[in-house]
Amino acid sequence: MSTETLSPGSSASSSSTSNASRPTPQRRARRPREFTNFDVWVLVGSIISALCLNWLIFYRLTAGASLFGFLLCSYFTFLAIFGVVTADRMGRLVATDRVMTVVVVSAAAIVFVPLVLLIGYILLEGLKALRPNFFISDQEGITPVLPSTSGGASHAIVGSIEQVGLALLWSLPLALAAAVFLNESRSKWRRPVRIFVDAMSGLPSIVAGLFIFATLILPFAKSGNPLFGYNGFMASLALAITMLPTITRTVDVVLRLVPDGLREASLALGASRARTVFSVVFPTARTGMTTAVVLGIARAVGETAPLLFTAFGYDLMNSNPFAGSQESLPLFVYRNIRKPDIAAIERGFAGALVLLLLVVALFALARFIGRDRSKRRGAPKGGGAAVRTNPDDPFNSPTSPSTSADADATATGQSVQEPMTS
Amino acid sequence: MTAIAERANPMSQNSTLVTERPAIGRATIIGGPPPGAATLEARGACAWFGDRLVLEGVDLVMPAGQVTALIGPSGCGKSTFLRLLNRMHELIPGAALDGEIFLDGTDIYATGTRAQQVRMRIGMVFQKPNPFPAMSIRENVLAGLKLARLKCDEKDDLVEQSLLRAGLWKEVRDRLDSAGGALSGGQQQRLCIARSLAVQPNVLLMDEPCSALDPTSTRRVEETIDELRGEVTVVIVTHNMQQANRVSDTCAFFLAAENQPGVVVEQGPTRKMFENPDDPRTLDYVEGRFG
Amino acid sequence: MPGSTRTKRVVTEVPSVVDKRFNAITMGAGISVLVLLLLVGAFLFIQSSNAISETGVLRFLTRTEWRTDVQPPAIGVMGLLTGTVLVAFVAVLFAVPLSVFCALAITEYSTARRRKWLIGVVDLLAAVPSLLFGLWGFLFLSDKMIPISTWLTQNLGFIPIFSTEQNASLTGSIFIAGVVVALMVLPIITSVTREVFSQTPPGEKEAALALGGTRWGMIRAVVLPYGRGGIIGGSMLGLGRALGETIAVALLLPQVPQQIGESIHILQNGGATVSGFIANRAGADAFTTSGLMAAGLVLFIITLATNMIASVVVSKSRSGAGVDL
């Protein structure tokens, strides 16, 4: 798809040089513009007049108000002014269209705002207390009088790694098998299972924690067996329940993108169904499956609610996940920011920053794995033909809006060759 | 019906064909396109998809009130050219163009000209019938008015006239409020023609309108095109040589060599193009020897 | 045609031993997911029986207070449910228009490159843990929202839901919690509506444009009607997520259940949600825990029902076939 964005002018010259037999004049594309310079001035003028009007009302005529309120009112005033002016110049039809364009574009822009504010805020607050010892020491001997830079969250990091690792161990085989079941079998149970997997992905995560608590911790409370008390193992089970539907569904989607022709080719070669899945389907969908797992991990790392009833939280290092309550990174954050002293809150922010960086890193990793490989493998130069082969058919793939699954689809399509040729 | 007959269209009386049938009137649309057919002229039209030049240097006049057929093998840029004529081309990501298209002397690609204005004056019928499935037949016909926010006081008349012109009135007059998607393929296509005509455009572009239709429906569409002669300028892309011969006044032959952009090889009156064209390739094509 | 004499020959595939095992394993995995969900419900039910038998099902469902200090204990889930539903509705109210516009921006107003970027941002928003949203909302956004709450209650206070009591604190309100939850459900609503919008038949879109429609006219005539099922289903899915949202709400709201006869003030400090209340009572005594299980069961049933209805709405709509929720 990237090839489409190449400038037509340069391409035209290349195509004209390539066929020397029939010289064509150097051609440059014409860009029709609906927006005249005057329209741009109308837009700018509307923004300025809206800001001025609101500034007058907010800061001159009435005693000041919040910046947020000022911007909000200015935005709506701007829409009104812009709409009225455009309607006067070009009629209501055009005015509605342009105002709605502004609304839609600004709605998309607004999504950036909380994300930027959130990341910026946590970065700013978290850096106050984040020191190297944060990764080395635990909360041993920490009293409210000590500064926030003392102590650390190594116990929480160890706990998080153990819990998420164990959770992955439980949920991954089950999720893969369930996804294979949804795709490769012809059982009549597929439909109910798919419905239940969907329903389960909407399950509040606290209920998962509550469930483990109700089945494995509460009934054995009197037994005194540390395996059935608050511990990391229980937390991993609760996390596994929250990860299971997420991974199943994403893997299910990825497996669905594997062309049926490949399966048939494998079966026609005499392979069993099991062999087909392991040798053809899985390798073909490998990148998509990895992406699904990484995203599943990213989600599980940040889960707090299921841990409240399972790992419970602990201030000291406990590297044994099978006995005794254990800390995890989100629990560390949650417990600390609820404490009354400022040092603890700052420590919580440091933990939040580490958590945020971890999640963003995992997210970036997932994107990196699932990226569109067709670019790197060198689409043919001057590959306009690859973009569109038939000019009489304007609506083949490039126009159909790409979804995130597209990247997987192309990645799948690319790696399709591998199992067949090797 | 009498009310409609009284508002006979002055344009239609110029046409020799129209006098043989009861004249179809014209409901007045406020804010719609100016009445009558308009001349379309392309000068040096070029089109790209991404970095591929698919159409180069097309000069073509499509005279007002006449039917112009664009013929040529697939992939030679006919449809692209057609879509250049009402600015549908630019909707495709990565599409670019050069040259000018004049509608009665004004360039439709001039800066500040809105595509929406252009498309209101230059209607289009697509290869695949695409009525709005959620709307009734009546709503489908009036969809253009709603979309362009045009006003019409005689909506019922307008629906009747448009459907009459498209040759669909008799078949659907009793079920105007049923869904448009429930019609047969041929009826759907004629509904789409009626929908385009309801805005009373100056030009009607047709992109292989009969390729998905059975022979009977094709005949009805061809009759409709014939009836529109004089009132609306029609530009039609077709793969069917007989059809081009039957319906068109002028003809343009497009051809693209291997890995070369499409060009107009020859253009002229249909009769000449089919009987003694200047270019031997044209003769080969119209006689079915290639393509 | 002598069809009566013909009999169908049924071909039965006899799987190999490996395939048999393979089929059994995958089937087992599939069924176990199903069983797991049923087990969740069953165990919550068993563990909640203690509290429910003491208070009675009807009383538990209708009572608003939650008091374990009196004898017999008076616990009920109604006060929590009101808060839950209010927060979820505020969230969906903010999130739906923003999501629909955002989905439109992605499918109808973007070039391929910008589309990728926007999808990335929305996905990243989905990846941010609920805890961080709660933290940010609790310590940052809350203060920034107070002027808006103040303005609303001063100027629109005559409308009952915007009214506040004299000198009431405006932090920790259902309104603020709802706004934060809105950010969290925005990605899911956006992705469902985006999927549905992107499947609008291009022919219909072209037809609308060719008739002289503007882009917005085309969207209103073609895209929105086509995507209606997806918008409704996506909103319900968002509602389901909002109902179950836990940690952020646990941080933002004081988690005190609504009392009997108390009128609802969404702009002032107060309110509790089922999930947040449960989270705040982790490690409580046996009877409270049993009550929490009962509350959890109610939440489980409500979210499950909402999600199921949402799935059905999306898949039954003209546009939704083939959309993955």
Side-chain angles (χ1 to χ4, degrees):
Chain A
M1 270 188 195
S2 68
T3 39
E4 285 175 14
T5 51
L6 288 175
S7 85
S10 63
S11 55
S13 61
S14 73
S15 79
S16 63
T17 48
S18 65
N19 40 5
S21 59
R22 202 174 61 87
T24 47
Q26 191 93 12
R27 291 211 179 269
R28 300 202 55 173
R30 220 183 137 184
R31 303 201 171 276
R33 284 202 305 152
E34 288 193 7
F35 241 53
T36 57
N37 289 340
F38 195 80
D39 290 322
V40 178
W41 286 118
V42 168
L43 192 69
V44 173
S46 305
I47 294 174
I48 293 172
S49 56
L51 285 174
C52 290
L53 187 69
N54 279 283
W55 177 77
L56 200 68
I57 294 170
F58 268 73
Y59 295 106
R60 290 290 134 194
L61 302 183
T62 58
S66 72
L67 181 70
F68 193 83
F70 166 69
L71 289 176
L72 202 68
C73 286
S74 299
Y75 178 69
F76 284 108
T77 322
F78 153 68
L79 283 186
I81 294 174
F82 181 64
V84 168
V85 173
T86 313
D88 186 53
R89 288 181 59 222
M90 304 171 146
R92 274 181 60 199
L93 181 71
V94 183
T96 321
D97 182 47
R98 295 210 170 155
V99 167
M100 286 323 290
T101 304
V102 171
V103 168
V104 167
V105 170
S106 48
I110 280 174
V111 176
F112 283 84
V113 175
L115 195 64
V116 169
L117 285 178
L118 187 145
I119 293 175
Y121 179 70
I122 288 177
L123 205 64
L124 225 64
E125 295 288 320
L127 283 176
K128 283 182 192 166
L130 192 62
R131 296 290 180 275
N133 62 328
F134 186 85
F135 301 97
I136 302 163
S137 48
D138 57 13
Q139 295 285 298
E140 191 172 9
I142 296 296
T143 55
V145 293
L146 285 171
S148 61
T149 47
S150 62
S154 61
H155 59 306
I157 293 167
V158 167
S160 268
I161 291 171
E162 285 178 353
Q163 288 160 23
V164 174
L166 284 174
L168 202 61
L169 202 64
W170 317 138
S171 62
L172 191 59
L174 198 60
L176 287 188
V180 168
F181 172 70
L182 287 177
N183 263 284
E184 311 290 328
S185 84
R186 277 172 285 176
S187 164
K188 60 175 185 223
W189 285 90
R190 280 190 317 175
R191 213 181 131 68
V193 168
R194 180 165 278 145
I195 291 172
F196 272 68
V197 169
D198 276 351
M200 212 168 149
S201 66
L203 185 76
S205 56
I206 185 123
V207 172
L210 215 52
F211 167 65
I212 295 297
F213 184 70
T215 45
L216 295 176
I217 299 179
L218 207 53
F220 302 98
K222 293 196 181 77
S223 72
N225 186 342
L227 187 64
F228 293 102
Y230 292 126
N231 59 38
F233 170 62
M234 291 297 155
S236 75
L237 290 178
L239 285 178
I241 292 178
T242 61
M243 282 168 95
L244 182 63
T246 334
I247 298 183
T248 308
R249 277 173 26 156
T250 29
V251 172
D252 175 34
V253 170
V254 175
L255 292 188
R256 221 178 298 164
L257 293 172
V258 176
D260 268 339
L262 282 184
R263 296 191 181 96
E264 282 171 9
S266 168
L267 291 174
L269 285 172
S272 64
R273 286 201 170 268
R275 195 75 256 151
T276 305
V277 169
F278 284 109
S279 307
V280 176
V281 178
F282 278 180
T284 309
R286 192 183 50 218
T287 46
M289 284 163 61
T290 321
T291 312
V293 172
V294 174
L295 283 179
I297 296 174
R299 166 127 335 153
V301 161
E303 282 284 7
T304 323
L307 307 182
L308 290 170
F309 283 88
T310 50
F312 202 72
Y314 189 52
D315 278 338
L316 303 177
M317 175 67 84
N318 171 17
S319 54
N320 179 9
F322 297 102
S325 45
Q326 202 180 26
E327 190 80 310
S328 82
L329 212 42
L331 269 182
F332 174 82
V333 177
Y334 183 70
R335 276 153 29 88
N336 270 298
I337 56 169
R338 287 163 73 90
K339 286 180 186 162
D341 64 310
I342 291 170
I345 293 177
E346 285 187 2
R347 266 180 227 121
F349 269 110
L353 177 58
V354 173
L355 187 60
L356 182 69
L357 294 178
L358 195 61
V359 169
V360 171
L362 284 169
F363 180 78
L365 179 68
R367 291 242 133 194
F368 178 73
I369 295 168
R371 76 198 179 283
D372 195 345
R373 304 244 175 143
S374 52
K375 275 180 223 162
R376 272 191 323 128
R377 295 205 186 169
K381 292 275 181 219
V387 175
R388 180 177 303 280
T389 44
N390 181 9
D392 283 347
D393 175 19
F395 274 96
N396 53 28
S397 56
T399 22
S400 65
S402 77
T403 59
S404 51
D406 274 3
D408 290 336
T410 42
T412 312
Q414 281 294 328
S415 44
V416 155
Q417 314 285 346
E418 292 163 12
M420 302 310 291
T421 49
S422 58
Chain B
M1 281 299 281
T2 49
I4 303 159
E6 277 166 20
R7 278 193 307 275
N9 180 11
M11 279 304 299
S12 64
Q13 282 162 3
N14 299 340
S15 164
T16 50
L17 279 159
V18 173
T19 47
E20 295 159 19
R21 298 185 308 270
I24 301 168
R26 236 183 199 234
T28 29
I29 296 178
I30 300 154
T39 304
L40 261 185
E41 187 185 352
R43 279 191 213 149
C46 303
W48 288 266
F49 287 119
D51 51 5
R52 199 161 77 100
L53 185 64
V54 294
L55 193 68
E56 188 168 29
V58 175
D59 296 301
L60 188 65
V61 179
M62 290 144 273
Q66 292 197 11
V67 179
T68 306
L70 311 180
I71 56 172
S74 327
C76 64
K78 306 180 301 292
S79 291
T80 307
F81 177 70
L82 197 73
R83 292 168 66 89
L84 271 180
L85 295 178
N86 74 337
R87 298 190 64 166
M88 294 300 279
H89 176 68
E90 67 204 56
L91 292 175
I92 298 161
L97 64 111
D98 189 25
E100 288 125 358
I101 310 285
F102 292 100
L103 177 67
D104 269 350
T106 37
D107 184 9
I108 62 169
Y109 284 101
T111 300
T113 308
R114 281 176 288 111
Q116 181 254 328
Q117 287 172 315
V118 172
R119 295 186 194 129
M120 198 166 70
R121 294 189 61 188
I122 309 177
M124 188 163 190
V125 176
F126 297 85
Q127 187 171 359
K128 218 177 127 216
N130 50 9
F132 300 123
M135 296 183 188
S136 69
I137 292 173
R138 180 201 306 276
E139 285 167 339
N140 258 295
V141 175
L142 294 174
L145 290 193
K146 206 176 133 198
L147 279 163
R149 284 227 194 151
L150 303 176
K151 285 205 180 63
C152 176
D153 295 331
E154 311 112 343
K155 280 201 176 130
D156 288 343
D157 291 350
L158 185 68
V159 171
E160 186 180 339
Q161 288 161 21
S162 308
L163 288 170
L164 266 175
R165 277 209 176 85
L168 190 63
W169 174 248
K170 278 187 206 144
E171 289 155 70
V172 300
R173 66 203 299 176
D174 303 323
R175 46 176 178 145
L176 287 176
D177 290 314
S178 60
L183 297 171
S184 75
Q187 289 173 325
Q188 284 190 11
Q189 189 63 299
R190 278 178 280 148
L191 177 61
C192 292
I193 296 175
R195 183 175 66 185
S196 302
L197 291 175
V199 205
Q200 300 179 350
N202 308 120
V203 180
L204 187 63
L205 309 179
M206 298 177 127
D207 189 357
E208 296 180 42
C210 303
S211 67
L213 304 188
D214 62 285
T216 320
S217 299
T218 304
R219 219 178 109 75
R220 299 300 303 269
V221 172
E222 283 179 18
E223 280 170 15
T224 301
I225 296 172
D226 204 37
E227 287 166 27
L228 291 173
R229 206 184 299 269
E231 293 176 54
V232 182
T233 310
V234 176
V235 185
I236 178 169
V237 169
T238 178
H239 278 139
N240 182 336
M241 287 308 109
Q242 288 79 20
Q243 183 173 58
N245 202 355
R246 278 196 298 268
V247 299
S248 71
D249 302 310
T250 50
C251 217
F253 175 50
F254 283 68
L255 194 62
E258 189 83 10
N259 289 324
Q260 299 278 332
V263 289
V264 171
V265 171
E266 189 174 356
Q267 50 178 303
T270 303
R271 180 167 297 181
K272 179 172 180 294
M273 291 280 285
F274 275 82
E275 284 167 8
N276 54 339
D278 297 330
D279 197 300
R281 287 174 293 176
T282 313
L283 194 64
D284 283 353
Y285 184 72
V286 297
E287 295 191 346
R289 280 200 284 272
F290 82 92
Chain C
M1 284 286 267
S4 54
T5 58
R6 300 215 179 269
T7 49
K8 270 191 211 157
R9 208 178 136 196
V10 183
V11 181
T12 42
E13 190 189 342
V14 183
S16 66
V17 183
V18 181
D19 270 3
K20 260 187 194 155
R21 271 190 212 146
F22 179 72
N23 286 346
I25 290 170
T26 55
M27 176 125 174
I31 304 289
S32 69
V33 175
L34 212 143
V35 170
L36 196 59
L37 199 67
L38 295 177
L39 275 182
V40 171
F43 267 90
L44 288 181
F45 181 75
I46 293 167
Q47 293 292 346
S48 63
S49 57
N50 184 14
I52 293 215
S53 61
E54 197 129 337
T55 44
V57 178
L58 212 63
R59 298 282 288 284
F60 181 77
L61 287 177
T62 53
R63 190 183 280 148
T64 55
E65 42 185 355
W66 188 290
R67 298 186 62 182
T68 45
D69 53 343
V70 291
Q71 267 310 324
I75 59 169
V77 80
M78 202 58 208
L80 301 173
L81 272 184
T82 345
T84 310
V85 171
L86 280 175
V87 169
F89 268 101
V90 172
V92 169
L93 205 67
F94 280 102
V96 167
L98 209 55
S99 306
V100 171
F101 284 137
C102 204
L104 283 177
I106 290 169
T107 59
E108 308 296 329
Y109 287 82
S110 294
T111 57
R113 182 178 294 255
R114 221 174 295 161
R115 185 176 300 145
K116 239 178 187 169
W117 264 96
L118 266 172
I119 292 172
V121 168
V122 173
D123 285 353
L124 185 59
L125 202 63
V128 173
S130 156
L131 172 71
L132 300 185
F133 269 112
L135 181 63
W136 176 71
F138 181 46
L139 293 169
F140 176 82
L141 191 69
S142 203
D143 293 340
K144 306 283 179 284
M145 295 286 292
I146 287 174
I148 296 174
S149 298
T150 316
W151 186 86
L152 279 174
T153 187
Q154 277 171 358
N155 296 288
L156 298 171
F158 56 89
I159 303 169
I161 58 160
F162 289 129
S163 64
T164 49
E165 286 159 359
Q166 206 105 56
N167 298 327
S169 160
L170 296 184
T171 55
S173 67
I174 286 175
F175 173 64
I176 294 172
V179 170
V180 174
V181 174
L183 293 175
M184 281 183 267
V185 299
L186 188 132
I188 181 130
I189 308 180
T190 307
S191 71
V192 173
T193 41
R194 165 172 71 86
E195 285 274 305
V196 171
F197 288 163
S198 71
Q199 287 170 16
T200 315
E204 284 174 39
K205 283 160 73 174
E206 288 211 313
L209 290 173
L211 282 170
T214 56
R215 175 148 50 180
W216 178 247
M218 181 271 287
I219 289 170
R220 271 194 50 187
V222 178
V223 179
L224 291 183
Y226 182 82
R228 203 178 55 201
I231 298 173
I232 296 170
S235 308
M236 288 196 66
L237 217 59
L239 188 71
R241 293 284 194 281
L243 288 169
E245 186 42 58
T246 308
I247 286 299
V249 187
L251 283 169
L252 282 160
L253 289 182
Q255 299 300 351
V256 182
Q258 291 274 324
Q259 296 299 312
I260 297 173
E262 208 177 87
S263 55
I264 296 160
H265 305 290
I266 65 163
L267 290 176
Q268 76 180 43
N269 187 294
T273 65
V274 178
S275 53
F277 188 77
I278 296 172
N280 277 11
R281 299 289 168 107
D285 63 282
F287 181 79
T288 309
T289 305
S290 176
L292 293 181
M293 296 285 174
L297 183 66
V298 172
L299 181 68
F300 173 74
I301 292 167
I302 290 176
T303 49
L304 216 59
T306 317
N307 285 327
M308 290 250 184
I309 294 170
S311 306
V312 170
V313 168
V314 174
S315 59
K316 282 278 154 67
S317 68
R318 176 178 164 233
S319 48
V323 171
D324 289 293
L325 295 183

